[in-house]
């Protein structure tokens, strides 16, 4: 707090920064942290913990090997050594665990996972400080008052993971699935139907998969009302537009509770959303402790 005031964020809003600080983020693919236990899927906390340890070490190294464009950026970045470890594949993980995104169970799972990552990343940063020393501006920090020797002023951030989640083949950040089946227009208007791999697997295993059905889903944008699909599958495979705006905020707030920096999250509204609907979500986000929120009203862009 004594170094300066937070003046802005990075472009997606998840990293509030002091002037000249940099954004140094990493995201854990939660789909790689699952295991089978007595025929059901559970989170492998042993594996998740070791990934957190390695990631903190890696991101701390980035600060030292990076070449900075300005001396002030170099000074501030090494002064606070802020890093931001987050997640991607959260919606996919919920599906594997059989938990609907818009449920209290999903909210408590969000808290459980992020609390673990936040605490483990602090432990890793404390261990690094024993070998490498505290961050340079430590004397002006809240950690000095608490008597905690630590390497990084912050360790957690939830980024949108747009491109990297596509490369990893998982859902982005903490967002719900946007669609289970959609038609991607490529090159000379060639239409490629794409189906979510988890949904495709379940559809084939349960015997209701067909190309016609996938096109119908792509047209609908949701399986909510398609009665030929079993009810328990419809319950778990919810998409962004099936989810009431309040649930988007509840999930964001659950992650924010255990995140040092901020959380990138989009609330998807239907085209019929009113100003009051938008106002309600912004106020709810504020009251529930979110540091920022993005809303997107369907059809507000031409293409």
């Amino acid at each position: 707090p004594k170094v300066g005031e937070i003046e802005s964020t990075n472009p997606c809003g998840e990293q509030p920064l002091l002037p000249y600080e940099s954004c140094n983020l990493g995201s854990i693919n939660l789909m790689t942290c699952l295991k089978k236990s007595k025929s059901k899927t559970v989170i492998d906390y042993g594996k998740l913990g070791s990934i957190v340890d390695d990631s903190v070490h890696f991101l701390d190294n980035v600060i030292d090997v990076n070449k900075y464009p300005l001396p002030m950026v170099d000074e501030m970045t090494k002064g606070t050594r802020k890093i931001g470890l987050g997640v991607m594949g959260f919606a996919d993980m919920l599906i594997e665990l059989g938990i609907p995104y818009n449920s209290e169970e999903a909210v408590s799972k969000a808290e459980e996972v992020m609390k673990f990552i936040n605490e483990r990343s602090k432990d890793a940063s404390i261990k690094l400080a024993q070998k490498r020393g505290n961050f340079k501006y430590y004397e002006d920090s809240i950690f000095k008052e608490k008597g905690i020797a630590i390497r990084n002023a912050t360790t957690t951030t939830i980024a949108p993971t747009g491109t990297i989640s596509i490369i990893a083949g998982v859902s982005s950040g903490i967002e719900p699935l946007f669609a289970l089946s959609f038609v991607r227009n490529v090159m000379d208007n060639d239409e490629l139907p794409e189906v979510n791999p988890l949904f495709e697997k379940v559809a084939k295993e349960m015997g209701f998969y067909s190309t016609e059905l996938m096109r119908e889903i792509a047209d609908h944008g949701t399986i909510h009302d398609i009665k030929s699909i079993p009810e328990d599958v419809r319950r778990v495979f919810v998409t962004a537009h099936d989810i009431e705006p309040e649930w988007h905020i509840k999930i964001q707030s659950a992650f924010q509770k255990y995140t040092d920096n901020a959380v990138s999250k989009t609330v998807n509204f239907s085209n019929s959303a009113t100003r009051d609907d938008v106002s309600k979500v912004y106020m709810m986000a504020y009251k529930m402790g979110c540091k920022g929120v993005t809303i997107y009203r369907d059809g507000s862009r031409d293409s």
Side-chain angles (χ1 to χ4, degrees), residues 36 39 41 95-96 195-210 213-214 228-230 232-233 237:
K36 283 272 186 272
S39 80
T41 304
I95 288 165
E96 289 283 19
V195 184
N196 176 277
L198 297 176
F199 180 66
E200 187 173 13
K201 183 166 163 270
V202 168
K204 284 176 175 170
E205 279 171 4
M206 296 181 78
F208 63 82
Y209 180 89
S210 73
L213 179 64
M214 296 309 128
S228 60
I229 297 170
D232 57 336
V233 174
F237 281 93

Side-chain angles (χ1 to χ4, degrees), residues 30 33-37 40-49 90 93-94 97 99 109-110 112-113 116:
L30 292 173
C33 303
L34 295 172
K35 65 178 180 182
K36 283 272 186 272
S37 172
K40 68 182 235 199
T41 304
V42 296
I43 297 169
D44 185 344
Y45 278 107
K47 185 173 182 188
L48 180 57
F90 175 67
M93 183 192 82
L94 289 179
L97 297 173
I99 301 170
K109 194 55 72 178
E112 177 192 309
V113 167
F116 177 85

Side-chain angles (χ1 to χ4, degrees), residues 28 46-58 85 116-122 124 156:
I28 295 168
K47 185 173 182 188
L48 180 57
S50 68
I51 292 173
V52 171
D53 295 345
D54 287 346
S55 301
V56 169
H57 192 162
F58 178 87
L85 194 54
F116 177 85
I117 291 171
N118 198 43
E119 289 174 357
R120 183 74 175 237
S121 64
K122 296 287 175 295
T156 45

Side-chain angles (χ1 to χ4, degrees), residues 119-158:
E119 289 174 357
R120 183 74 175 237
S121 64
K122 296 287 175 295
D123 291 344
S125 185
I126 287 165
K127 282 183 188 135
L128 269 184
Q130 290 163 7
K131 290 185 204 157
R132 299 178 168 184
N134 302 334
F135 59 94
K136 196 166 152 190
Y137 298 163
Y138 176 79
E139 296 297 318
D140 291 327
S141 76
I142 59 168
F143 293 106
K144 176 74 174 22
E145 291 160 25
K146 293 177 180 173
I148 300 166
I150 196 163
R151 180 73 172 159
N152 313 93
T154 67
T155 62
T156 45
T157 300
I158 307 271

